[in-house]
Amino acid sequence: MAACFHPVHGANVRLDACGTRATRVESFAHGLCFSREPLAPGHVFLVEIEEKEPGWCGHLRVGLTAHDPQRLPAVPEYSLPDLVGLGDSWVFAITRNHNRVAPPEGEEAGAPARGRGWLCEPYLRIEHVRIPRDKLVGRSRPGRYSHLLDELYRTNVLPPTARRSRIGVLHVPRPDGTADMHIVINGEDMGASARGLPAARPLYAVVDVFASTKSVRVIQVDYGFPSLQTLCRQVIQKHVIHRLAIDGLDLPLVLKNFCKYE
C-alpha cells in the first residue's frame, strides 16, 4: 500500500486529493499529521519539505506514536509537548544543526558515516535493516545550478530544514522485543533517537508541519529488488555530468523527466 497521510490531522492542515501532501494553511500550530497505516518494521515514512514560511521559530518535527489517530478524542495542537504528554509517543524536533544522536553511555559510536564511503552505497543500513538510498536524498529542481545543489543534498551540507530536504522516521526491532526509533535525513541515519518502543504494538508515523515548515510531501520508497526502470535511470545518471545533460540525450521525454526526478 502506498504511503500517505491519515485523514485525521490537525485543524490547520489541508491534504491534497491523494493524501500525500500536507499544507498548514494558517498560524504556526495545529499542523499534526499521521501516517494512514502503522509502519512495518524497518520501513521508513519519508517526507520532503516543499514549502517554508519565514518569520516563525521552529521547524518540522517527526516521530512515532502507538495511538491510533482515529481513536484520539482530539488531535493535539502540538506534537511536543502535547502528543508526547499523552504517553506512548516519541517525537524528534528537526533543527538546522545537531540532529545526530549520541550513543548511550558505555556503547561505542560507530565510525562516521562519511568514513565508510556511504555516498557510494546503494542502500542505507541500520542494524539489520536495508533501505534503498535512491529516494532518501533530496533533489533540487532541475536548473542552472541543480548539479551543485544536488551534491550539497547528497553530502548533507545543506541544513536539514531547507526546502527539498527529505526526512524520514522508522522503527528497528531489537532482540529483546522492543524497537528503536531512527530519524533519517537526506539518506543519513541520525542514530537511535528513542529506545524501548513497544514493537508488538502498531506504530504510526508522526509529522508535525510546525512553524517555518509550511508544506511537506510523502515520498514513496521502493523495497526489494529495484525495477528495470530504476536500474536504467541509475545507469544513465552515472554517465552524465549532471541532470541537465539528460536533455541532450536521444530519449523519450517521459524517460528524460523520470531520469531527472521530475
Side-chain angles (χ1 to χ4, degrees):
M1 183 178 295
C4 61
F5 289 114
H6 201 285
V8 173
H9 51 70
N12 288 336
V13 170
R14 299 294 180 269
L15 302 181
D16 67 356
C18 299
T20 56
R21 190 173 192 262
T23 302
R24 194 188 69 253
V25 294
E26 61 180 90
S27 182
F28 62 92
H30 288 291
L32 202 52
C33 300
F34 307 93
S35 59
R36 185 179 183 89
E37 304 292 336
L39 299 189
H43 281 213
V44 62
F45 191 82
L46 183 69
V47 297
E48 179 177 283
I49 299 175
E50 286 223 318
E51 289 185 53
K52 304 277 292 179
E53 187 172 20
W56 299 114
C57 182
H59 305 281
L60 185 71
R61 298 168 172 181
V62 296
L64 296 167
T65 182
H67 293 284
D68 182 344
Q70 198 75 48
R71 297 178 180 275
L72 287 172
V75 177
E77 183 176 3
Y78 305 101
S79 58
L80 286 170
D82 299 0
L83 179 64
V84 171
L86 297 177
D88 294 330
S89 298
W90 306 264
V91 175
F92 188 86
I94 304 299
T95 64
R96 286 177 56 86
N97 304 291
H98 310 301
N99 291 292
R100 184 173 296 282
V101 179
E105 188 175 349
E107 185 176 308
E108 288 189 13
R114 290 176 177 78
R116 297 195 298 266
W118 67 282
L119 293 176
C120 302
E121 288 289 329
Y123 293 94
L124 171 66
R125 300 174 187 272
I126 304 175
E127 303 291 341
H128 57 279
V129 170
R130 193 174 73 161
I131 307 170
R133 196 186 295 275
D134 185 41
K135 294 287 188 73
L136 298 180
V137 182
R139 307 280 291 183
S140 65
R141 296 192 184 280
R144 185 176 179 182
Y145 300 106
S146 60
H147 61 295
L148 300 176
L149 290 172
D150 286 348
E151 185 66 16
L152 297 180
Y153 284 115
R154 195 166 68 93
T155 53
N156 240 341
V157 172
L158 288 181
T161 55
R163 288 181 67 246
R164 312 287 285 180
S165 278
R166 293 186 177 181
I167 297 170
V169 60
L170 71 154
H171 59 94
V172 178
R174 304 285 297 178
D176 62 0
T178 65
D180 293 345
M181 181 177 81
H182 285 253
I183 306 298
V184 176
I185 299 177
N186 287 320
E188 189 172 0
D189 174 32
M190 297 293 108
S193 53
R195 297 174 182 266
L197 278 65
R201 296 179 60 184
L203 295 172
Y204 294 81
V206 175
V207 177
D208 193 353
V209 188
F210 177 69
S212 65
T213 304
K214 182 174 180 62
S215 181
V216 297
R217 176 173 61 98
V218 176
I219 303 296
Q220 307 298 332
V221 178
D222 301 319
Y223 295 89
F225 293 106
S227 65
L228 179 59
Q229 195 177 32
T230 297
L231 291 173
C232 289
R233 177 174 62 190
Q234 291 174 348
V235 170
I236 292 171
Q237 290 177 342
K238 186 177 180 181
H239 289 86
V240 296
I241 299 174
H242 56 81
R243 284 186 293 160
L244 291 184
I246 294 174
D247 287 327
L249 300 178
D250 186 18
L251 296 171
L253 180 60
V254 173
L255 183 55
K256 287 181 181 180
N257 290 339
F258 178 76
C259 290
K260 293 189 296 182
Y261 286 85
E262 292 186 33

